[in-house]
Amino acid sequence: SAVISQKPSRDICQRGTSLTIQCQVDSQVTMMFWYRQQPGQSLTLIATANQGSEATYESGFVIDKFPISRPNLTFSTLTVSNMSPEDSSIYLCSVVRHVGTDTQYFGPGTRLTVL
Amino acid sequence: GENVEQHPSTLSVQEGDSAVIKCTYSDSASNYFPWYKQELGKRPQLIIDIRSNVGEKKDQRIAVTLNKTAKHFSLHITETQPEDSAVYFCAATLSGGSNYKLTFGKGTLLTVNP
């Protein structure tokens, strides 16, 4: 498995502000992803965090709103910019440890409330 | 892209009964199908997965079946217990390489009544 931590675990923010969420893994992993899970809903992939290059965003998500960094193989950040109440969600990072393996492990999530 | 449909959205069973959750996928290239269990306020946890080169996989009380021709796969839980109560998500992807990304179903809320 993989030990994944996220900071903060939860936050309450004012609209118009930005929040950066950190994801730390206990060892190097090949793939890192960011998901959004709105209340009572399924998991929606925001983007694949690529080490040393720009993230790959899914349809409906843009870099200006959700800038992502991945400076190394164990760490990534997701920023939720210019927040509105519609951004209230749980944000989860996930990892795939090695090329050729498929198991995806999830972090504990960050519960964001925007007022 | 891939689309995954999951049914039912809610399922209530009596303790000891079996529970079955079904998913269909659209992309015939998908070859990896995991199932996740998410308890309230917790992260999704992988409980079982199956690859397209097998038709069935079992792990104690949990089994998954895959029909590639019909593009559907199912989760079977036998002898259900109250601690099985959670939301279950199916997912699909083409494994390996740059095309790997999980597409999730909408989830099934399973309630096991004592």
Side-chain angles (χ1 to χ4, degrees):
Chain A
S1 64
V3 177
I4 308 169
S5 60
Q6 283 186 235
K7 290 183 187 179
S9 58
R10 60 177 62 224
D11 207 342
I12 301 173
C13 302
Q14 297 296 320
R15 67 169 67 212
T17 62
S18 298
L19 176 72
T20 295
I21 302 167
Q22 299 179 1
C23 178
Q24 179 74 55
V25 193
D26 64 331
S27 60
Q28 294 182 350
V29 295
T30 56
M31 306 181 80
M32 296 183 78
F33 305 91
W34 287 98
Y35 286 84
R36 181 174 73 185
Q37 187 173 31
Q38 295 177 306
Q41 303 295 314
S42 185
L43 298 115
T44 302
L45 181 63
I46 298 171
T48 303
N50 300 310
Q51 194 262 329
S53 65
E54 190 173 291
T56 305
Y57 290 85
E58 297 301 306
S59 176
F61 297 96
V62 295
I63 188 170
D64 290 346
K65 177 66 176 177
F66 297 102
I68 287 170
S69 78
R70 189 181 173 192
N72 56 51
L73 294 176
T74 63
F75 185 79
S76 178
T77 66
L78 167 74
T79 299
V80 186
S81 302
N82 188 25
M83 289 184 285
S84 67
E86 293 71 38
D87 294 319
S88 297
S89 276
I90 298 172
Y91 292 86
L92 301 109
C93 68
S94 69
V95 306
V96 172
R97 187 174 284 280
H98 300 300
V99 173
T101 63
D102 300 314
T103 305
Q104 189 168 144
Y105 301 99
F106 283 86
T110 295
R111 182 179 295 272
L112 171 61
T113 301
V114 184
L115 303 177
Chain B
E2 178 65 274
N3 183 52
V4 177
E5 300 282 341
Q6 183 172 346
H7 299 281
S9 57
T10 61
L11 180 59
S12 181
V13 300
Q14 289 299 122
E15 182 176 0
D17 288 350
S18 296
V20 180
I21 303 170
K22 299 181 179 182
C23 290
T24 60
Y25 61 99
S26 62
D27 189 349
S28 57
S30 291
N31 61 1
Y32 175 64
F33 308 93
W35 285 87
Y36 285 84
K37 174 184 181 182
Q38 188 175 32
E39 296 175 10
L40 189 62
K42 302 287 184 61
R43 74 186 79 190
Q45 298 271 18
L46 178 75
I47 56 170
I48 196 167
D49 57 13
I50 192 168
R51 289 168 176 78
S52 59
N53 58 344
V54 298
E56 184 173 359
K57 183 177 179 181
K58 192 172 182 180
D59 182 3
Q60 299 183 336
R61 296 187 297 110
I62 294 173
V64 57
T65 58
L66 171 65
N67 183 325
K68 286 189 295 183
T69 303
K71 289 190 283 187
H72 67 69
F73 56 113
S74 300
L75 177 71
H76 304 253
I77 306 174
T78 59
E79 301 172 23
T80 53
Q81 302 167 2
E83 50 265 39
D84 294 327
S85 296
V87 178
Y88 291 81
F89 294 99
C90 62
T93 187
L94 173 63
S95 75
S98 59
N99 290 325
Y100 178 104
K101 59 178 181 180
L102 287 177
T103 300
F104 285 84
K106 292 189 183 300
T108 297
L109 174 61
L110 173 65
T111 303
V112 180
N113 302 299

